[in-house]
Each structure stands twice: as structure tokens, then as C-alpha cells.
Amino acid sequence: MAGTAGRAAKAMRAGHQASAGELLELVRSGRATTRGALQQATGLSRATVGQRLDRLFRAGWLREGAGGPVDSPQGGRPSITLEFDDEHAVVLAADLDTRHGRAAVVSLSGEIQAEHHGSLRIEDGPDVVLGELGRWFAELLEKAGQRADAVCGIGIAVPGPVDTDTGKVVQPPIMPGWDGYDIRGRLGRAFAEHAGIESAGGAGSAGGAWSAAINRSGARIPVLVDNDANLMAYGEQRTGYPDCSAFALVKVSTGIGAGMVVGGSIYRGVDGGAGDIGHIRVGADALCRCGSYGCLAAVASGGAVARRLAESGVPATSGSDVRDLLTAGHPEAMALAREAGRQVGDVLATVVTLLNPGVLMIAGDLAGTPFLTGVRELLYQRALPRSTAHLDVVTSRLGERAGLVGAGALVVEYLYAPERVEERLAALGV
């Protein structure tokens, strides 16, 4: 909840009366988990706190937990704690790579309840890929023992730059046919079709995240789309490094991309293009898939390593093939991975100097010891000691689930932000 938990307190200090959504945020963040603590944090009367909590209870978003510490110094009965009810709905999450996809049913607390991984080629185009993803979602819900109308939102990670206002990818180098495509509308319709739930027949209001699928409360199900490295970074930072105020993740698979979480929020830049380090020029003459020469991805990505292996007679066509060779201890693959790590580390020296992160995480198909060794060699050689004095260079904790966890968390934070809570409570009539 870093980056969001302080909004209620700031508004209250400015004389604003806390809403039901802001009370929910205080409970979810753990900053105030009893009625007395909410009164103290907000300055609201006991009756007003009770009225606003009642709306949250009627919506099914809050529940009472065990007795907490006694609020009064004079003693008395333990106060009843309040908890966010993370069982009242579920989120669907997906993470697409160039040749495969992963999908899951995720609880509101981030627990993966059911998961599927399979072949899904991004080059087959959005209509085919999103249609298949809708089928996966329907099957996963049955596997998890969840009703389709319990879904409150869908999050999807894609390997390209995303305009998060529209949910559309923008000029993606490795996603042919996806530029400007209505991912939200297509995925919502595909899910509704395969899950047998109602569809409104459209993609919702312009600029909104709402899809065509409708859940049991009669609300459209939002579909949130973001870059895969962004969501991997978000998932890893929230679960493993919640106190890190500047967190960077570099994904090295078929391509190369970076995600950054600053102050608890994903940093995307002005139009979603932040972190596209795979297309920084490094002076080589290799042709990149984006059409330019000398991009980092053209010489140091999993795809580039695979090409060099293929040229020497080793069967490899993608980053996942390189990963398999590295797992098997293939000497040439290990040597090339270390060399690629050095090239990426050279670029990351600049990234670290600019961002000054506390954690730099290496993830993706090449994120093993040879590649990490190469990164560290050049990073610490080129970056100033001041930039690396408090830097931890690590590998992924969540592994292939990072994008799913991040996608699920993104949906939950979107739906339970104070302003959206108010909108949703009004729509529910509570």
C-alpha cells in the first residue's frame, strides 16, 4: 500500500472529511484497524465512522476480525479489529510473452488459486490470442471453484509499450498487428463468451478501463493493460521489497525491458514509454526488430543470444530456448549469456546513476548466474560508487509468476482506490 496509504491522512489534514473509501484505505493499509483508531485518524465522530463502515459491510468489502488491543487507557473490553474481506471477489490475471502465455485466478490478497501456462504466439495477432485467453480464464475459474460472476477485474501484461489511459499498445516492436488494438473490448467479450456471463456489447466509456463483460453486481468488469516489465516490477516490489522507494527490474527474454516502481507507484513516463532500455543504442551494427541498428536488444537479448547460438549450429530460436540451454549448463550459451550481461550492465550503469534505486532486479529467461555475473562486472566498473553504495543487485523472487502477481495487484489497487470505492458503492446503492 506504499504510495497510497497516505492520501486519506493528507486530505484529512487539509480539513476534508474522510469518505468511506478513505476509511477502507486506512484499514487495508493497516494504519487504522479499529473503529476507535479510525475516529482518531480521521477526526470523524463515532456515529459518522459507523455509518461509513456500514456501507462497506453491506458491500461485502469489510469484515470483523479478532479482538485487538484495548483502545482506552482505563481498560475495558478489547476492540474489534476490522479487516478487508479478500474473499468477496477474485481477479483474473494474464502475462503474455512472444511465444507463450500464463494466466491465473488471483485472490484479492494476491494468492494464486489456479494457474495455466501454455503456447500462445503473440504474432498470431490480438484477436486469436485474446480469444484463447478468454477460454483459459473460463477454465481456470472452474478449476479454482469460483463463479464467473465473482470476477471483479482483469489485469494483463503485454511485451510492449502501453498507453494505460486507453489500454492500447503503442508501436510495439515485437507485437505485429497489436498497435492501437482494443485489447480491453476484445478480452472482455472473449471472457464473457466463454464464461457464459452477460456482455454489454461494447468496451465501455472512452478512456475508461471498463470492458464489455458484466459481473454479478451488474457492473462492467475493468480490464487493465500494462507493460510486462512494469507489472513484474510491481509484483516483486510489493511482495518482496515494500519499503524500497526506488525499485528497478530489468527483464531479459526475447527482448529487453525495464520496469520501475518509485514511491510505491509504477513509473511509466508521460505516455507509457519509460523503461524501454532495449532500444538504447550501444554502437553495434546489428539490426534490431524495431528497424534500427545498434539497439541493446539486438546484441544482448535472449533473441540475440539465440541467433548467435544458431549461427554456431546450436538449435535455438528464442529466449526460452536459451534458458533451457543455460539450465542444462551448455558452455557456449553460458559464455554468450555472460557477454550479454556485460553489455546490459554497461547500460545499467547509466540507469542506476539516473534513478539511484535501492534494488536492481534481473528477471527473464537469461536471469541466471552467468548473465548476472556479467551485469555486475560492468555495472560496478562503470557506475560511480555513490550510485551503488546502497544498491542490491538480485534476481527474481517470484519467477514466472511476477507478472501475474503484479497484474492482480494493479487491478485491486485500481478498484479499491478511495475515489473508485465511492463510485462503486453508489452504483451498488449502498
Side-chain angles (χ1 to χ4, degrees), residues 20-263:
E22 287 161 338
L23 295 189
L24 182 63
E25 183 173 281
L26 288 169
V27 173
R28 290 185 61 230
S29 69
R31 294 183 63 239
T33 57
T34 66
R35 288 169 173 82
L38 288 170
Q39 287 176 243
Q40 192 172 33
T42 63
L44 296 176
S45 69
R46 180 176 180 178
T48 302
V49 167
Q51 290 168 356
R52 293 181 182 174
L53 290 179
D54 182 60
R55 297 177 69 200
L56 298 171
F57 278 113
R58 282 188 285 152
W61 299 347
L62 271 189
R63 64 188 175 201
E64 291 186 342
V70 176
D71 283 343
S72 170
Q74 283 76 42
R77 291 184 301 175
S79 55
I80 299 298
T81 60
L82 303 171
E83 301 174 349
F84 177 62
D85 188 344
D86 58 9
E87 298 178 353
H88 72 267
V90 294
V91 172
L92 297 175
D95 185 6
L96 300 181
D97 210 328
T98 53
R99 294 159 59 96
H100 61 272
R102 189 174 294 270
V105 177
V106 185
S107 75
L108 298 183
S109 61
E111 176 191 356
I112 293 181
Q113 299 181 348
E115 184 179 1
H116 176 73
H117 171 258
S119 175
L120 209 56
R121 296 168 56 87
I122 208 81
E123 64 186 25
D124 289 340
D127 189 58
V128 171
V129 170
L130 298 174
E132 181 68 359
L133 200 52
R135 183 178 68 81
W136 285 10
F137 281 153
E139 294 174 353
L140 283 168
L141 284 168
E142 185 175 351
K143 182 179 178 181
Q146 296 282 359
R147 290 168 53 91
D149 57 8
V151 175
C152 65
I154 300 172
I156 178 171
V158 297
V162 176
D163 180 341
T164 54
D165 288 338
T166 64
K168 297 177 180 179
V169 293
V170 182
Q171 299 177 356
I174 58 175
M175 298 179 70
W178 289 73
D179 186 21
Y181 187 86
D182 180 18
I183 295 174
R184 289 173 178 165
R186 174 64 179 121
L187 186 53
R189 290 190 297 274
F191 170 60
E193 175 188 347
H194 288 286
I197 61 175
E198 186 179 354
S199 171
S205 60
W210 310 98
S211 74
I214 297 176
N215 64 16
R216 63 182 167 204
S217 67
R220 289 177 182 261
I221 296 173
V223 175
L224 272 64
V225 188
D226 210 330
N227 172 261
D228 54 357
N230 283 348
L231 292 184
M232 290 172 69
Y234 197 49
E236 295 278 7
Q237 188 271 340
R238 286 176 57 86
T239 58
Y241 303 90
D243 297 326
C244 181
S245 61
F247 178 97
L249 177 144
V250 178
K251 179 186 178 184
V252 185
S253 291
T254 297
I256 301 176
M260 294 165 287
V261 181
V262 179

Side-chain angles (χ1 to χ4, degrees), residues 318-349:
S318 68
S320 59
D321 292 336
V322 177
R323 178 193 60 207
D324 293 341
L325 290 166
L326 292 172
T327 301
H330 190 281
E332 188 172 355
M334 294 175 70
L336 288 174
R338 181 165 180 169
E339 181 183 340
R342 288 170 57 84
Q343 292 168 311
V344 172
D346 196 9
V347 170
L348 290 180

Side-chain angles (χ1 to χ4, degrees), residues 289 302 308 340 350 393:
R289 293 181 67 171
R308 293 186 65 181
T350 301
V393 182

Side-chain angles (χ1 to χ4, degrees), residues 354-370:
L354 178 66
L355 184 62
N356 189 210
V359 175
L360 173 62
M361 179 174 284
I362 308 299
D365 291 330
L366 267 62
T369 300

Side-chain angles (χ1 to χ4, degrees), residues 414-427:
Y414 174 84
L415 285 174
Y416 296 96
E419 64 277 9
R420 202 149 291 108
V421 164
E422 292 303 311
E423 295 172 4
R424 296 174 66 206
L425 288 173

